[in-house]
């Protein structure tokens, strides 16, 4: 399909000069064209106006609507001073790594005044994903939904909704996030937290200086109808609990993969995750009696003061709307900020359909096992011995690592170096498969918490079956880490608290119907095991989706070699690939 997309792109290249085309008829496989003009737009929230990067002047950005099997072609034009890339979060990008988007991993950024055409096919996915910038902290405002419908004629494996509605969680900063991260890197301390959470770009009525009308997202529903809420956590640094007052939610899809439906009052969603839930509106008699808040607040397991502990609200109201002032305002009950028991219980309920139409192709054997210890660490303050900074001590600054390696971003894109065979001086293929100095990961931290640095990768043979155990560490405090793997979905085969025990825990793995995801929360003070087949040649980023941890180095890359057959090889780079 990727080759077909490339041919169609050449055939219809002149169309890319036009503005965004209307949605094409959803009959059979199609090619869908979009133009993303990245430009500054004045936006006011919390009585503060900032010129923020947007796509086509929209915040959040425009949605992409496609079907499984379709080709998507997006021309991105950079009209701001910052370098830009766009990542199509969760899209498998089979053999089309040049369109994945993380800066200096699969491409050099799009520079000011330049453009780049992303060209990919939706393979074996249906549900909700999203797109966002993948340079520094620019994704704080550059994000939008990707809606993937089933192939034409295929029914949904759950009740057909009356309507579907994207619900995108974000964070609003009164200051420029690029200035915030720059200051944090300079001082070595933690960055300032956001000033508000948002739902579809709006902070809602619970914040000071927030207009209860214009600054609140309102979902209008009809009594008795079924609605599909497409939940997307596009927040920079916070996992979130979400609930709707007096309504039950039925989880049916996560990360564009169907799951066995289950009911819940609260959804936990980490940055980088998507969750589709069904909400049945109340019958008329019940609906007329109240206005219902939809609320989200953080699930925060790290150090106090390192997260925004506010609450965002939106309104669910019934048509025809009543007089809000005269109706009781119902609030949902949300778990405590550090409710790790709820987090574990919610994750345990997620199971793939594992049926003939949607089989669970989980690897039963493991060719390449890995054990990755993930967490925070330290590095000495720069300069002379008496230099001070604002990290955990006055002589250290914050950093983060996997297996004690804090990843240094290269200045040449890794994929380009791999494809041309010129990796020397760009990366080394010696990323450790396990910690070089094992310790009690969830117990008393070692005396030396300094990390090493390097641009180190793991090289995998094509189609190898891979298992990665991700172990949280208690260095500078146990904390949940949402780990995102580019280019693949993986199966979550096991999770637990404390230290992973290789002699005990594999016997408890679920190899029948494990949930399929692209982003998973490593439990605070615990571990999670994932498996996948390395069936996608290229270079694929894996990183914490808490942006502050990625900035500090909690990231690495996998290099997957070509297979022997033509359809198992990375496609050549496009002619308009940006140069560094």
């Amino acid at each position: 399909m990727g080759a077909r997309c490339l041919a169609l792109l050449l055939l219809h290249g002149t169309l890319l000069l036009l503005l965004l085309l209307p949605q094409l008829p959803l009959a059979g496989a199609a090619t869908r064209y979009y133009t993303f003009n990245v430009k500054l737009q004045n936006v006011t929230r919390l009585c503060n106006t900032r010129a923020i990067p947007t796509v086509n002047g929209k915040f959040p950005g425009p949605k992409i609507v496609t079907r499984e099997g379709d080709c998507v072609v997006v021309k991105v034009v950079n009209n701001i001073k910052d370098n830009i890339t766009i990542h199509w979060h969760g899209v498998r990008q089979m053999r089309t790594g040049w369109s994945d988007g993380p800066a200096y991993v699969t491409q050099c950024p799009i520079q000011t005044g330049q453009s780049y055409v992303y060209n990919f096919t939706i393979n074996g996915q249906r549900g909700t994903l999203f797109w966002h910038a993948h340079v520094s902290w620019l994704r704080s405002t550059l994000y939008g939904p990707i809606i993937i419908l089933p192939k034409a004629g295929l029914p949904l494996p759950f009740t057909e909704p009356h309507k579907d509605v994207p619900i995108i969680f974000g964070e609003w900063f009164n200051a420029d996030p690029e200035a915030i991260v720059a200051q944090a890197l300079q001082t070595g301390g933690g960055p300032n937290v956001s000033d508000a959470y948002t739902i579809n770009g709006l902070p809602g009525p619970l914040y000071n200086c927030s207009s209860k009308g214009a600054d609140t997202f309102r979902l209008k529903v009809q009594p008795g109808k079924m609605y599909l809420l497409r939940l997307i956590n596009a927040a920079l640094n916070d996992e979130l609990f979400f609930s709707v007052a007096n309504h039950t939610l039925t989880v049916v899809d996560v990360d564009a993969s169907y799951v066995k439906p289950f009911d819940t009052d609260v959804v936990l969603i980490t940055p980088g995750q998507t969750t589709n839930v069904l909400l049945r509106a109340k019958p008329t008699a019940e609906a007329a009696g109240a206005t219902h808040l939809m609320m989200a607040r953080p699930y925060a397991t790290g150090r106090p003061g390192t997260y925004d502990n506010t609450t965002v609200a939106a309104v669910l109201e019934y048509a025809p709307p009543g007089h809000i002032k005269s109706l009781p305002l119902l609030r949902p009950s949300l778990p405590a900020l550090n409710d790790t028991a709820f987090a574990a219980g919610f994750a345990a309920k997620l199971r793939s359909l594992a049926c003939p139409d949607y089989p669970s192709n989980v690897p039963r054997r493991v060719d390449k096992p890995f054990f990755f210890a993930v967490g925070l660490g330290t590095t000495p303050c720069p300069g002379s011995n008496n230099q001070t900074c604002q990290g955990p001590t006055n002589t250290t600054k914050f950093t983060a690592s996997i297996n004690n390696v804090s990843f240094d971003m290269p200045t040449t894109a890794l994929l380009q170096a791999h494809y041309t065979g010129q990796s020397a001086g760009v990366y080394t293929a010696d990323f450790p498969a396990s910690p070089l100095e094992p310790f009690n990961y969830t117990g008393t931290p070692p005396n030396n918490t300094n990390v090493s640095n390097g641009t180190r990768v793991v090289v995998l043979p094509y189609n190898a079956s891979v298992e990665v155990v991700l172990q949280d560490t208690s260095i500078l405090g146990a904390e949940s880490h949402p780990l995102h793997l580019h280019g693949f979905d993986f199966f979550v085969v096991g999770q637990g608290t404390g230290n992973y025990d290789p002699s005990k825990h594999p016997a408890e793995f679920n190899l029948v119907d494990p949930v399929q995801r692209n982003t998973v929360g490593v439990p605070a003070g615990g571990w999670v095991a994932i498996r996948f087949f390395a069936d996608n040649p290229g270079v694929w980023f894996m990183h914490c989706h808490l942006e502050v941890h990625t900035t500090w180095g909690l990231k690495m890359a996998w290099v997957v070699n070509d297979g022997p057959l033509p359809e198992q090889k990375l496609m050549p780079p496009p002619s308009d690939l940006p140069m560094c």
Side-chain angles (χ1 to χ4, degrees):
M1 293 296 290
R4 182 183 69 83
C5 285
L6 187 59
L8 285 169
L9 174 60
L10 295 173
L11 182 62
H12 299 286
T14 54
L15 295 178
L16 295 175
L17 300 176
L18 303 177
L19 296 175
L20 172 64
L21 296 182
Q23 291 183 21
L24 300 176
L26 299 179
T31 301
R32 305 184 182 279
Y33 295 94
Y34 293 85
T35 297
F36 278 18
N37 283 303
V38 179
K39 63 179 184 178
L40 295 180
Q41 181 74 32
N42 284 334
V43 172
T44 302
R45 300 288 186 270
L46 309 182
C47 296
N48 184 282
T49 300
R50 285 201 299 114
I52 65 172
T54 67
V55 167
N56 301 343
K58 296 181 178 180
F59 173 64
K63 66 181 178 181
I64 286 178
V65 180
T66 183
R67 283 194 186 274
E68 179 187 353
D70 285 353
C71 176
V72 178
V73 178
V74 187
K75 181 178 182 180
V76 176
V77 184
N78 184 9
N79 298 300
I80 66 174
K81 64 179 178 60
D82 296 293
N83 289 341
I84 283 295
T85 68
I86 300 294
H87 170 50
W88 317 95
H89 184 109
V91 173
R92 285 292 314 274
Q93 297 289 357
M94 296 299 294
R95 303 172 58 221
T96 54
W98 309 105
S99 288
D100 191 41
Y104 301 106
V105 178
T106 59
Q107 68 167 99
C108 299
I110 307 167
Q111 299 179 29
T112 304
Q114 301 298 311
S115 65
Y116 180 49
V117 176
Y118 293 90
N119 171 24
F120 53 89
T121 299
I122 305 297
N123 288 289
Q125 297 176 293
R126 75 290 304 167
T128 305
L129 297 172
F130 70 116
W131 59 263
H132 61 77
H134 216 302
V135 177
S136 189
W137 284 25
L138 290 171
R139 74 176 181 88
S140 62
T141 60
L142 283 170
Y143 59 82
I146 302 175
I147 310 302
I148 306 174
L149 304 174
K151 290 181 179 179
L154 285 183
L156 295 169
F158 49 82
T159 303
E160 187 82 28
H162 169 68
K163 185 179 181 181
D164 66 282
V165 183
I167 302 288
I168 313 175
F169 305 106
E171 290 182 86
W172 173 263
F173 295 81
N174 284 332
D176 180 4
E178 291 300 284
I180 291 173
V181 65
Q183 180 185 37
L185 290 174
Q186 182 178 14
T187 64
N192 292 340
V193 301
S194 57
D195 295 282
Y197 297 108
T198 58
I199 291 178
N200 291 347
L202 300 171
L206 304 182
Y207 291 97
N208 291 332
C209 205
S210 179
S211 166
K212 290 179 172 55
D215 287 346
T216 300
F217 174 71
R218 315 185 84 83
L219 174 59
K220 297 181 179 181
V221 299
Q222 297 180 27
K225 298 289 188 180
M226 185 74 80
Y227 293 83
L228 182 70
L229 306 185
R230 298 178 179 269
L231 309 180
I232 300 168
N233 190 345
L236 272 185
N237 290 313
D238 291 281
E239 305 181 63
L240 295 168
F241 295 118
F242 172 75
S243 185
V244 181
N246 201 29
H247 290 74
T248 299
L249 304 174
T250 303
V251 178
V252 295
D253 186 302
V254 298
D255 293 359
S257 293
Y258 295 136
V259 297
K260 291 182 172 68
F262 67 92
D263 292 342
T264 183
D265 293 330
V266 179
V267 170
L268 173 60
I269 184 168
T270 77
Q273 289 183 341
T274 64
T275 304
N276 283 1
V277 298
L278 291 173
L279 178 147
R280 184 176 292 281
K282 299 288 184 180
T284 304
E286 296 180 65
T291 297
H292 306 81
L293 286 184
M294 305 186 290
M295 292 171 52
R297 74 178 182 199
Y299 167 54
T301 54
R303 295 165 293 109
T306 60
Y307 54 88
D308 178 350
N309 66 353
T310 62
T311 302
V312 61
V315 172
L316 185 148
E317 60 187 16
Y318 283 78
H323 297 288
I324 292 178
K325 291 183 179 180
S326 65
L327 295 177
L329 191 64
L330 300 183
R331 295 189 177 207
S333 177
L334 291 168
L337 295 174
N338 61 350
D339 194 339
T340 56
F342 178 89
F346 183 82
K349 294 177 183 177
L350 293 167
R351 294 283 188 270
S352 66
L353 285 183
C355 62
D357 288 337
Y358 304 101
S360 180
N361 187 29
V362 58
R364 301 303 180 100
R365 58 174 178 79
V366 176
D367 298 325
K368 298 289 183 179
F370 298 90
F371 181 86
F372 287 176
V374 300
L376 302 187
T378 58
T379 191
C381 297
S384 60
N385 291 335
N386 61 0
Q387 179 75 34
T388 62
C389 45
Q390 299 173 13
T393 69
N394 62 6
T395 60
T396 60
K397 58 182 182 179
F398 282 106
T399 190
S401 68
I402 301 176
N403 282 353
N404 208 50
V405 178
S406 186
F407 194 83
D408 287 333
M409 294 302 292
T411 55
T412 298
L414 298 177
L415 184 60
Q416 184 176 350
H418 164 66
Y419 183 80
T420 60
Q422 299 175 345
S423 62
V426 180
Y427 65 82
T428 57
D430 58 352
F431 192 91
S434 59
L436 300 181
E437 297 182 13
F439 60 97
N440 183 0
Y441 304 106
T442 56
T444 302
N447 292 329
N448 183 1
T449 60
N450 287 341
V451 306
S452 65
N453 290 78
T455 308
R456 304 166 68 180
V457 307
V458 174
V459 178
L460 295 171
Y462 180 81
N463 212 36
S465 55
V466 181
E467 177 183 279
V468 187
V469 175
L470 298 159
Q471 172 74 61
D472 182 38
T473 71
S474 57
I475 297 175
L476 301 183
E479 187 168 1
S480 177
H481 297 278
L483 262 290
H484 171 50
L485 175 60
H486 291 228
F488 298 93
D489 284 343
F490 51 73
F491 294 93
V492 183
V493 297
Q495 65 173 0
T497 58
N499 293 339
Y500 173 74
D501 186 344
S503 66
K504 170 188 172 184
H505 290 131
E508 303 168 358
F509 284 178
N510 174 13
L511 303 180
V512 177
D513 60 351
V515 67
Q516 191 170 337
R517 307 211 71 140
N518 63 62
T519 305
V520 66
V522 181
W527 58 272
V528 64
I530 65 173
R531 289 186 180 183
F532 62 95
F533 287 105
D535 59 356
N536 195 5
V539 178
W540 305 107
F541 208 23
M542 189 171 82
H543 61 97
C544 183
H545 225 271
L546 302 181
E547 206 63 41
V548 59
H549 292 173
T550 295
T551 300
W552 285 339
L554 209 166
K555 50 196 173 186
M556 56 84 64
W558 305 87
V559 174
V560 179
N561 287 327
D562 285 349
L565 302 177
E567 65 271 17
Q568 298 171 345
K569 299 182 187 301
L570 176 67
M571 290 184 180
S575 59
D576 64 337
L577 184 70
M579 296 293 104
C580 290

